[in-house]
Each structure stands twice: as structure tokens, then as C-alpha cells.
Amino acid sequence: MKYLITRFKINPNSEIARDLLGSVAADAGFETFEETEEGINGYVQEDLFHRAILDNCLKEFPLPDVSINYTVEQAENKDWNETWEQEGFEPIVIDDRCIIFDAKQTENGETETSLNDSNDPAHNYKLSVAIDARMAFGTGTHDTTQMIVRRLLDMNLEGKRVLDCGCGTGILGIVASKLGAKSVVAYDIDEWSVDNAKHNAQLNGVSNIEVLLGDSHVLSHVCGVFDVVLANINRNILLQDMHAFKEIMGSSAILILSGFYEDDIPLLVEKASTLNLEYRERFCSGDWRCLVFTKA
């Protein structure tokens, strides 16, 4: 998948200006940011970059005394997570019920986990998930992932059919399966993510997950409806694809959305309302938000 790197120069450069720029740039399709001496660099999939939206957001930037210029170039085609993947991540405990830990691949293909503390074994938790992240979003470190996992832990998923949209590492579908879901369908536009999700399902002994390559259009080839739909994606994709989500939801099905900010909530709720999806719950973690809807 081809990425663009956009180098933003902020004058004057400040933490609040960088945070606000990251928020508005997400509307133009940007996924990842890194701080620089002059501002931030933003990474966006070439096919998802909306220059007109970005220019309009910068024109209406909420700090009138701040000027922002940017240049766009093709990002080097490499594994941007390589260094992080080599270092791994510390075990993540969610509400003392779920632990997500790093899985490493040894040279002979066997799996080693980074969970070596005898005082904190995985079997002390209701749920344990091993993730070997290979250039895919979703280790459990992000607030959006943790909010959805918390909601799943509070649900009865026994015998349910679950859809994971934009699955990344496959973590949400794996959690759902381990909590009793009858079957899980997941999809992602990124081929790396599809392969990684399949790999992680195998690591966790989960065999009832089907992982597809593509965007929401793949749902037209999926038979049947779902009881639970999960989507941890940016706001624009959620607004674009919510109709497709609703079409494959069964009677009284639940839709759980995350990957957006407080200011995005009115747009998402309004869109859901036009589709006869009833707003039920709202969760917060840091600057990120999660919404739950049911099909009327």
C-alpha cells in the first residue's frame, strides 16, 4: 500500500497547535503523525488523501495567529513500524480482566511471548491475547482499541456473529472469538494487516475468523447478517461506510464505533439517525471517543 508523507511547518510551533493540526488533518485521511522541530509529519494512504478537505481545514484553523504550510511527497515503501516491532510492547491490562501481550517470532518459527513475569501470568485474567504486530494497527496500546475491548468484555457474545471493519492486527475479532462469538468476519484495505490478522488468529488458537482484503465493498460478497459490528476507523471512513454497516446488521444488532474525537460525535450521531440506528452509549479515553448504536 502506497503512503504519502506530508511535512507540516507550523509558525509559531506549539503543542496545542500540533494537537489541533493532527485532529483536523485526520479529516483529510491522515492516520499517523510524528513531531518535528518545525511542526509534524503526517502519513496518509495515497488513495485516501483528500487535499481539498485538508486545505479547507487549514483555512479555518482555530488558531488565527498560527500559519501552517505543507509539502507532500511519496513516502518510502518500507515497514514504518520496524523499530517498534523489534522492541515490542509491554503487556497491557484492561480492567483487570484482559491482558494483551507481545508475541515474538523466533528463528525457527516458534512463538515466544514477552509475558515472563511469574507474578502476572496470563491465566490470572479472564482473557489473554497474544499479538505479533507486523506493520498493522491494533496492539491494544491505543485508547480506541481499549475502549472497544472494554465494551466487548461487558457483552454476552456467546453464539453471536461479529464483523470487524478495518481489523488491523485482528485484535478485536480475536477478543470477540475468545469471548464466545460463534464466528467472526474481518476485513482491511491493507494486505499487510490481512496477513497479520490471520497470523495473530493462529497464534491465539482462533479458527473461526475469516479475514478479507478490501474496503466495505467486500461486504457485498458476505452472506448473512451480523449481531455485532465493530469499526475502529477515522471519522470520514465511518461516515462513508456506516450505511454499509447498517445493511449487514441483523435485528437488534449492535454497532460499536471508535477512532474519532469529541467534535466528531454530532456528525456521527446525525448520520446514524438517518439510518435508523439508535444512539445508546458513549465512552471516553483521553482525547478519543467511542459510540454504541443499535439497529432499530
Side-chain angles (χ1 to χ4, degrees):
M1 180 154 303
K2 294 182 179 180
Y3 274 79
L4 300 174
I5 177 172
T6 301
R7 305 183 190 278
F8 294 96
K9 294 183 179 180
I10 306 173
N11 185 28
N13 187 11
S14 66
E15 181 178 0
I16 186 170
R18 291 192 298 270
D19 288 346
L20 285 171
L21 176 55
S23 177
V24 300
D27 292 343
F30 286 83
E31 302 172 6
T32 308
F33 302 93
E34 61 179 356
E35 293 186 9
T36 67
E37 291 184 0
E38 297 179 304
I40 60 174
N41 290 339
Y43 296 87
V44 58
Q45 294 179 34
E46 190 171 29
D47 293 342
L48 300 181
F49 179 43
H50 299 281
R51 185 185 290 269
I53 293 177
L54 177 62
D55 289 340
N56 187 60
C57 289
L58 295 182
K59 187 182 299 183
E60 300 178 359
F61 197 67
L63 298 179
D65 297 329
V66 172
S67 65
I68 301 174
N69 298 305
Y70 71 87
T71 58
V72 181
E73 60 190 68
Q74 196 79 44
E76 184 181 352
N77 187 20
K78 68 174 186 178
D79 186 345
W80 294 100
N81 291 328
E82 182 177 1
T83 300
W84 178 86
E85 290 170 6
Q86 292 173 354
E87 295 175 353
F89 62 95
E90 292 299 314
I92 301 152
V93 176
I94 300 177
D95 294 348
D96 288 326
R97 294 184 289 171
C98 174
I99 187 164
I100 301 163
F101 57 94
D102 183 43
K104 300 293 187 187
Q105 285 298 300
T106 61
E107 290 184 0
N108 63 6
E110 294 178 355
T111 301
E112 294 178 347
T113 73
S114 62
L115 191 66
N116 296 319
D117 185 355
S118 60
N119 295 320
D120 196 22
H123 62 256
N124 277 359
Y125 298 91
K126 175 181 180 180
L127 189 69
S128 63
V129 180
I131 293 294
D132 180 19
R134 297 176 176 177
M135 203 175 173
F137 176 83
T139 60
T141 59
H142 202 276
D143 289 339
T144 57
T145 306
Q146 293 188 27
M147 281 189 288
I148 296 181
V149 170
R150 286 192 181 95
R151 186 65 183 84
L152 292 175
L153 287 166
D154 290 333
M155 297 172 63
N156 178 9
L157 295 179
E158 290 290 336
K160 303 294 186 183
R161 193 168 188 234
V162 176
L163 174 68
D164 182 4
C165 310
C167 62
T169 62
I171 184 172
L172 297 178
I174 291 168
V175 167
S177 177
K178 287 197 163 193
L179 289 173
K182 178 181 178 181
S183 64
V184 178
V185 174
Y187 69 85
D188 201 290
I189 196 171
D190 187 347
E191 187 173 357
W192 281 86
S193 295
V194 171
D195 291 341
N196 190 216
K198 293 177 180 178
H199 169 69
N200 285 319
Q202 185 176 21
L203 280 181
N204 287 274
V206 170
S207 60
N208 64 342
I209 293 183
E210 180 184 8
V211 188
L212 307 174
L213 174 63
D215 57 18
S216 62
H217 289 94
V218 302
L219 297 177
S220 63
H221 304 293
V222 175
C223 297
V225 294
F226 295 87
D227 304 293
V228 180
V229 177
L230 314 172
N232 187 9
I233 320 176
N234 72 62
R235 186 201 72 179
N236 287 342
I237 301 299
L238 293 176
L239 289 171
Q240 172 186 295
D241 291 350
M242 203 182 302
H243 180 270
F245 301 160
K246 185 252 185 178
E247 289 300 305
I248 48 78
M249 293 171 64
S251 177
S252 302
I254 296 173
L255 173 64
I256 304 176
L257 306 179
S258 194
F260 49 86
Y261 302 98
E262 180 71 26
D263 291 345
D264 299 322
I265 290 178
L267 285 173
L268 291 164
V269 171
E270 181 182 2
K271 178 66 175 182
S273 178
T274 65
L275 298 171
N276 292 321
L277 294 171
E278 296 183 358
Y279 167 69
R280 293 297 187 185
E281 296 177 274
R282 171 180 177 273
F283 300 96
C284 307
S285 184
D287 294 330
W288 299 94
R289 301 295 181 261
C290 176
L291 295 175
V292 180
F293 300 90
T294 57
K295 186 174 180 180

